[in-house]
Amino acid sequence: MKSEGSARNQYIATFCVNLLAIGYGFSCGWTSPSVPLLLSNTTPLDSGPLSLVEGSWITANLCLGGFLGNTLAGWTTERFGRKLTAYMAAIPQILAWMMVIFGTNAYYLMASRFLGGFSGGVCYMVIPTFIAEIAEDRIRGFLGSTLVLTNNLGILVMYVLGDLLAYEMVPYVVLPLPLIFMLWFSFIPETPFYLMKTNNYVESEDALRFYRGYRKGSLKESEEFRQELMQLKNKFNSEKSSFEDEKLAWRDITTPHAKKAFLIGFCLMAFNQFSGCFTMMNYTASIFAESGSSLSANASATVVGSIQLLGTYLATILIERAGRKLLLTISGFGIVLGMGSFSAFSFAKSLGQDVSAISWIPLVCFSWVIFIGSVGVLSVPFVMLAELMPQKIKSFSLSLCMNILWLFAFAALRFFPALSESLGMHGTLLLFTCCSLAGTLFVAFVVPETKGQSFDTISKLMS
C-alpha cells in the first residue's frame, strides 16, 4: 500500500503523459535517417526516389500540422478537458506511422508528417497545462521541465533506431507507444482544476486525493488534504470571477507592456528557429553526409542526439541559478562560434582543400551547436514567454507566439534544401550564424532578466 501524502502518482501521471512527447520526438527525428534514403536510388518507395522539393515538403509538413494542432488544442483543452485533448495527440501518432507502413509515394509521407506535427502542436499546449494542474508547488518546476527532455529523448531513440533498423521496421517498433499511452492514460484522472471548472466537485476532490496519494477519511487527509482542496476552490473562484468580469479586449493587447512583450516574443521565436538548431536536427544525417565527416551520418546523428539530451538536462538545472538572459546570451554566442566554424570547414571543403586532417570538425561543431543551443536558445524562450506576457492575455499571447514559431519552423525546414543547393552548405550555415548573432545582440540589449522577479515587477519593467 502506498504511503500517505506520496507524490508517486504525480510522477506516474507525468511520465505517462510525456509518452506523447517521446512519440512526437520520434516524428521529429524520423527525417534524419529516412529522407537521405528516400532521396537515393535505393528508396523503398514504389514511386521511386523523392525529388529534393518532395523531401523538403515532407520535412516541413511537420510544422504545418503543428500550427493546426496548437490552434485547435487551445480550444479543446478548455472545451473538452486536458485528458481528451491528450488523446487527440495520440490518435494522429498512430495514423502517422500507419501512413509510413502503407505509404508508397511522397504524398503518404507528407500526410504522415502533417499528422505527427499536429500531435506535437497538441502536446506543447496540453502537457504543460496538465502537469501544472496536478503537481504540487515543490515539484511543479521539475515535472514541467520534463516535456522538452522527453521530446529530445524520443529524437535520440529515433536516431538510434534509424541507424540500426531497416526503414520498413522502424514504424512497427514505435507504433505501440501511443497505444500504450492510451491504455495507461485511461486510468489517470482528469485534472482537479478542470473537473472543478465543469462543476464536478466530487470527482475533483477524488482526483486531487489520487494525485496527492491520500486515502479517503485518513487522519492526514483531514489535516492537509482539506487545506489544499480549499486553496484549489479559492483559486477557481478567483479565476472564475476574473474571467467573467474582464473579457479580453483590443486595448488589452495594445498596452505598452503587451506591445513590448509581443515584440520580444516574436524575436525570441525567430531566434529559436533561425539559429538553425532545429533545422539541423531534422537534417542531421544529410548535413553530415555533405560535410565530409569521417563518421557515418547516422552514427553522427546518434552522438548529437545524446549531447542534445545532456544540454536540455543542464538547462533545467541552470535556469533558476544562472538566469534566463545570461543563459540565452551564452547560448547564442556559442551557436555563433559553432556555426561559424562549421561554415568555414564547409567552405574550405567546397574549394577543394584537403580537410582530411580536420575531418572531426563537423561532428565537434555540430555537437557543440546542439548542446549549447539546448542549454539556452532551444528551451529558455518558452519559459520567458510565460513570464513576460501580461497575465490577462497570457493564454492568447502564448498560443499566438507558438503559432508564429510553427510558421518560422516551416519556413526554415521547407527552404533549407533550396538554400543549401543555391548558397552551398557553407553559405547556409553562415546565414544561420548571422541570424544567431542578431538574436544574441537583441537578447543582450533588449530582453530583461526575469529570474526571481515577481509578475508585478516584470510588469513595471515592461511598461
Side-chain angles (χ1 to χ4, degrees):
M1 182 178 296
K2 65 179 183 293
S3 60
E4 287 287 83
S6 171
R8 186 186 66 174
N9 289 341
Q10 296 171 57
Y11 285 101
I12 291 175
T14 298
F15 178 77
C16 180
V17 76
N18 274 318
L19 291 177
L20 291 173
I22 296 175
Y24 173 57
F26 291 161
S27 296
C28 292
W30 177 81
T31 52
S32 180
S34 300
V35 168
L37 174 64
L38 297 171
L39 293 171
S40 70
N41 292 327
T42 57
T43 178
L45 298 179
D46 295 341
S47 58
L50 298 178
S51 67
L52 194 64
V53 172
E54 289 173 331
S56 65
W57 270 108
I58 288 172
T59 303
N61 259 17
L62 183 87
C63 305
L64 293 181
F67 181 92
L68 180 61
N70 177 80
T71 303
L72 288 181
W75 174 70
T76 59
T77 299
E78 298 300 325
R79 180 65 178 84
F80 299 108
R82 289 62 166 139
K83 189 170 180 177
L84 284 178
T85 302
Y87 281 122
M88 193 172 75
I91 296 174
Q93 288 187 14
I94 296 171
L95 296 176
W97 293 117
M98 291 181 67
M99 288 282 188
V100 176
I101 292 173
F102 297 106
T104 57
N105 55 51
Y107 298 105
Y108 282 88
L109 302 182
M110 290 179 190
S112 171
R113 288 284 287 175
F114 182 89
L115 290 169
F118 182 92
S119 174
V122 175
C123 285
Y124 271 80
M125 286 297 293
V126 71
I127 293 178
T129 302
F130 177 85
I131 293 176
E133 292 182 359
I134 69 167
E136 299 174 57
D137 293 341
R138 62 185 177 88
I139 57 174
R140 180 174 293 121
F142 170 74
L143 294 182
S145 68
T146 57
L147 170 59
V148 177
L149 192 66
T150 51
N151 184 17
N152 289 341
L153 176 62
I155 294 174
L156 173 59
V157 171
M158 179 52 69
Y159 286 167
V160 175
L161 292 177
D163 189 34
L164 298 179
L165 300 179
Y167 171 88
E168 295 82 0
M169 285 298 300
V170 171
Y172 288 102
V173 173
V174 299
L175 182 58
L177 185 68
L179 297 172
I180 293 171
F181 161 79
M182 295 182 71
L183 177 62
W184 191 352
F185 205 56
S186 64
F187 298 99
I188 303 295
E190 178 63 88
T191 69
F193 184 80
Y194 181 79
L195 290 170
M196 188 169 290
K197 186 177 179 180
T198 55
N199 299 320
N200 293 313
Y201 296 105
V202 175
E203 293 181 29
S204 175
E205 183 176 338
D206 290 339
L208 184 62
R209 184 179 291 111
F210 170 83
Y211 288 118
R212 297 301 178 264
Y214 292 123
R215 288 179 301 165
K216 190 171 184 179
S218 68
L219 179 61
K220 191 167 186 178
E221 177 190 343
S222 64
E223 295 173 352
E224 298 179 5
F225 175 75
R226 295 296 170 183
Q227 182 179 358
E228 185 172 2
L229 183 62
M230 184 58 65
Q231 291 175 349
L232 180 65
K233 290 180 179 179
N234 292 337
K235 178 176 181 286
F236 165 70
N237 291 328
S238 174
E239 294 193 12
K240 181 180 179 181
S241 61
S242 174
F243 175 78
E244 291 175 346
D245 295 339
E246 300 182 21
K247 299 293 184 179
L248 188 64
W250 177 251
R251 65 178 179 272
D252 296 319
I253 61 177
T254 56
T255 63
H257 181 178
K259 287 190 288 187
K260 188 174 182 180
F262 277 121
L263 171 64
I264 293 175
F266 178 89
C267 292
L268 287 180
M269 296 300 97
F271 190 14
N272 178 278
Q273 284 302 313
F274 298 135
S275 66
C277 295
F278 182 73
T279 303
M280 292 175 74
M281 285 189 291
N282 278 269
Y283 287 102
T284 301
S286 298
I287 292 173
F288 274 109
E290 292 183 34
S291 69
S293 171
S294 58
L295 198 61
S296 72
N298 286 334
S300 300
T302 302
V303 173
V304 170
S306 303
I307 293 173
Q308 176 195 2
L309 193 65
L310 174 61
T312 306
Y313 175 71
L314 285 180
T316 64
I317 297 174
L318 296 175
I319 193 167
E320 293 297 344
R321 300 179 182 179
R324 288 77 160 128
K325 184 170 183 173
L326 181 60
L327 276 185
L328 275 175
T329 305
I330 293 175
S331 177
F333 276 122
I335 292 173
V336 171
L337 177 63
M339 286 284 191
S341 301
F342 201 163
S343 176
F345 174 90
S346 297
F347 182 63
K349 182 173 181 290
S350 69
L351 295 177
Q353 300 293 323
D354 182 12
V355 294
S356 58
I358 53 174
S359 59
W360 48 267
I361 284 183
L363 179 60
V364 172
C365 289
F366 200 128
S367 301
W368 167 253
V369 166
I370 299 302
F371 170 76
I372 201 67
S374 299
V375 169
V377 174
L378 292 177
S379 53
V380 175
F382 305 106
V383 177
M384 295 200 74
L385 280 181
E387 296 174 332
L388 291 172
M389 294 298 176
Q391 192 67 29
K392 187 175 179 182
I393 65 169
K394 184 168 291 187
S395 296
F396 166 78
S397 58
L398 290 178
S399 179
L400 178 62
C401 286
M402 286 300 297
N403 278 335
I404 291 173
L405 177 74
W406 284 112
L407 292 178
F408 284 160
F410 170 78
L413 293 178
R414 170 64 181 84
F415 297 109
F416 176 79
L419 285 173
S420 298
E421 190 173 36
S422 60
L423 301 179
M425 183 60 68
H426 61 278
T428 306
L429 294 174
L430 182 61
L431 181 61
F432 286 147
T433 302
C434 294
C435 291
S436 298
L437 180 60
T440 304
L441 294 176
F442 176 82
V443 170
F445 292 105
V446 178
V447 177
E449 177 60 80
T450 58
K451 173 194 171 186
Q453 304 286 350
S454 67
F455 285 115
D456 289 338
T457 303
I458 294 172
S459 179
K460 293 175 182 178
L461 287 173
M462 296 290 288
S463 298

